[in-house]
Amino acid sequence: MRPIDFVGDIHGHAGALRALLDRLGYKYQANQWTHAQDGRLVFLGDLIDRGPEQRETVDLVHALCDSGRALCLMGNHEFNAVGFVTSRTDDPDRYVRSHTDGHIRQHQAFLDAYQHDSVGYQDTIAWFKTLPLWFEQPGVRAVHACWHAPAQALLAPYLDHRHAPTDLSFFTDSAIEHSAAWQARETLLNGLEMRLPEGSHFKDYYGIQRRRIRLNWWDPDQSTYRDSAVIDVTQRDRIPDLPLPSTAPSYHESLVFFGHYWMRGIPSIRHPRAVCLDYSVALPDGALCAYRYQGEIDAQSDHLVWVSNS
Ligand SMILES: [Mn+2]
């Protein structure tokens, strides 16, 4: 079959993206993208945030999508980029992505990339508004952070047949904190989280104190807060070794690819039906990772392809 190459979070590392595309066999010649086996690409979102070449990354992936060679899913950072310039319907003086000092600082490099090109900025935001929230075909699925059927069903009224927003109501309704749409969008784009028992906390990779953990929803064997937290190994023993009040749903009937979780170390298949392809390319020892899908039922480690930062 025609291969599908799923590509993890790029975070503005266009150089790594060019190297990965080369390794996967995609070539730009005579004004088009070609591939010897007529391969297709599915990007898992988070093209932007942090990296040095956010605009170059967006332009390259956008061109691949326009050529029909690729599809790009929405990540939490594409959602936030749209939200940064979208007024809330419940409070029109505020934005879907609030303009706190921290949010502005985090978004500044993206804004700076377009400071002399408001048309390019508008085009990019307009494109981000049209990105699908998930990809599905018989045997294989993809989403930015968490495959979650109840959240998908809840958001379906906001989405077209490609699972892309039909209009801005997806952004404005899912901005209302603790609404059903907010919860569902958070689950798909930011992953499942759980509040720790009273009194427990830990410091994340950036030294920020956290009272919630990200759940490794893809692992069917999780049973305690400590086992199920997606967390740096140096922090794990700060998480209480207590049973989870409920286990995360798991959907392993068909292969699913996702990004978002800043995995460390050498890319590997940790579950044969649920494969994270985010290997922290924005960190010095990170990698940009892809998986070549060719119709297999279980993921195979020799289908992983990556380029290291170092
Ligand atoms: Mn993400």
Side-chain angles (χ1 to χ4, degrees):
M1 73 171 266
R2 242 180 120 181
I4 307 175
D5 292 312
F6 293 89
V7 179
D9 305 34
I10 306 167
H11 286 299
H13 285 260
L17 174 58
R18 284 187 283 265
L20 182 70
L21 290 171
D22 189 55
R23 196 161 294 180
L24 291 168
Y26 293 89
K27 295 192 189 339
Y28 189 70
Q29 48 197 22
N31 293 318
Q32 53 180 340
W33 284 96
T34 62
H35 187 268
Q37 296 154 270
D38 200 23
R40 287 184 288 160
L41 291 151
V42 175
F43 292 93
L44 299 179
D46 280 4
L47 306 181
I48 62 166
D49 191 57
R50 291 167 207 263
E53 297 180 302
Q54 299 192 31
R55 181 174 185 156
E56 290 80 356
T57 303
V58 168
D59 289 348
L60 182 46
V61 174
H62 195 169
L64 278 158
C65 291
D66 281 349
S67 78
R69 183 65 60 192
L71 173 77
C72 182
L73 300 181
M74 189 183 296
N76 51 307
H77 290 294
E78 285 75 46
F79 177 89
N80 286 343
V82 174
F84 200 81
V85 288
T86 303
S87 296
R88 294 176 67 123
T89 44
D90 58 332
D91 187 353
D93 292 335
R94 289 167 62 209
Y95 291 95
V96 165
R97 176 69 169 174
S98 59
H99 288 196
T100 61
D101 290 347
H103 289 172
I104 292 170
R105 213 177 308 119
Q106 185 176 19
H107 203 47
Q108 196 62 52
F110 176 76
L111 298 172
D112 288 350
Y114 293 94
Q115 63 177 324
H116 302 301
D117 183 8
S118 64
V119 173
Y121 179 73
Q122 300 297 338
D123 282 352
T124 294
I125 297 298
W127 181 55
F128 284 175
K129 287 177 184 171
T130 69
L131 299 180
L133 272 75
W134 69 88
F135 166 86
E136 185 169 24
Q137 71 172 45
V140 67
R141 305 157 157 184
V143 65
H144 181 62
C146 178
W147 188 270
H148 196 278
Q152 290 164 316
L154 205 138
L155 292 173
Y158 296 100
L159 308 175
D160 64 16
H161 66 284
R162 301 168 59 239
H163 318 298
T166 48
D167 59 33
L168 272 182
S169 65
F170 163 71
F171 296 89
T172 53
D173 283 9
S174 77
I176 298 168
E177 276 135 58
H178 309 294
S179 68
W182 175 84
Q183 186 69 57
R185 190 259 303 160
E186 285 276 317
T187 298
L188 298 186
L189 300 190
N190 292 71
L192 277 179
E193 293 193 353
M194 192 168 286
R195 205 181 156 81
L196 290 170
E198 206 49 48
S200 305
H201 58 83
F202 69 98
K203 285 206 171 75
D204 73 7
Y205 190 78
Y206 301 97
I208 297 168
Q209 189 163 302
R210 303 277 182 190
R211 294 183 191 282
R212 299 172 67 85
I213 52 168
R214 289 174 157 190
L215 285 186
N216 62 353
W217 57 270
W218 54 89
D219 183 348
D221 298 326
Q222 57 177 327
S223 59
T224 67
Y225 289 93
R226 184 175 294 175
D227 290 343
S228 58
V230 183
I231 195 174
D232 195 273
V233 65
T234 59
Q235 298 288 318
R236 190 171 298 279
D237 57 10
R238 298 197 181 195
I239 308 294
D241 198 17
L242 294 170
L244 286 172
S246 61
T247 50
S250 62
Y251 298 94
H252 294 136
E253 65 269 33
S254 90
L255 189 47
V256 59
F257 295 98
F258 57 98
H260 189 65
Y261 285 96
W262 295 82
M263 294 292 171
R264 310 298 300 277
I266 294 170
S268 62
I269 306 292
R270 302 180 194 205
H271 187 288
R273 297 279 174 85
V275 179
C276 183
L277 295 175
D278 177 11
Y279 277 86
S280 307
V281 67
L283 298 180
D285 59 350
L288 179 61
C289 187
Y291 182 94
R292 173 152 294 173
Y293 172 76
Q294 291 176 296
E296 59 275 24
I297 291 177
D298 288 332
Q300 298 166 21
S301 51
D302 61 349
H303 289 207
L304 289 168
V305 179
W306 68 90
V307 291
S308 297
N309 248 344
S310 49

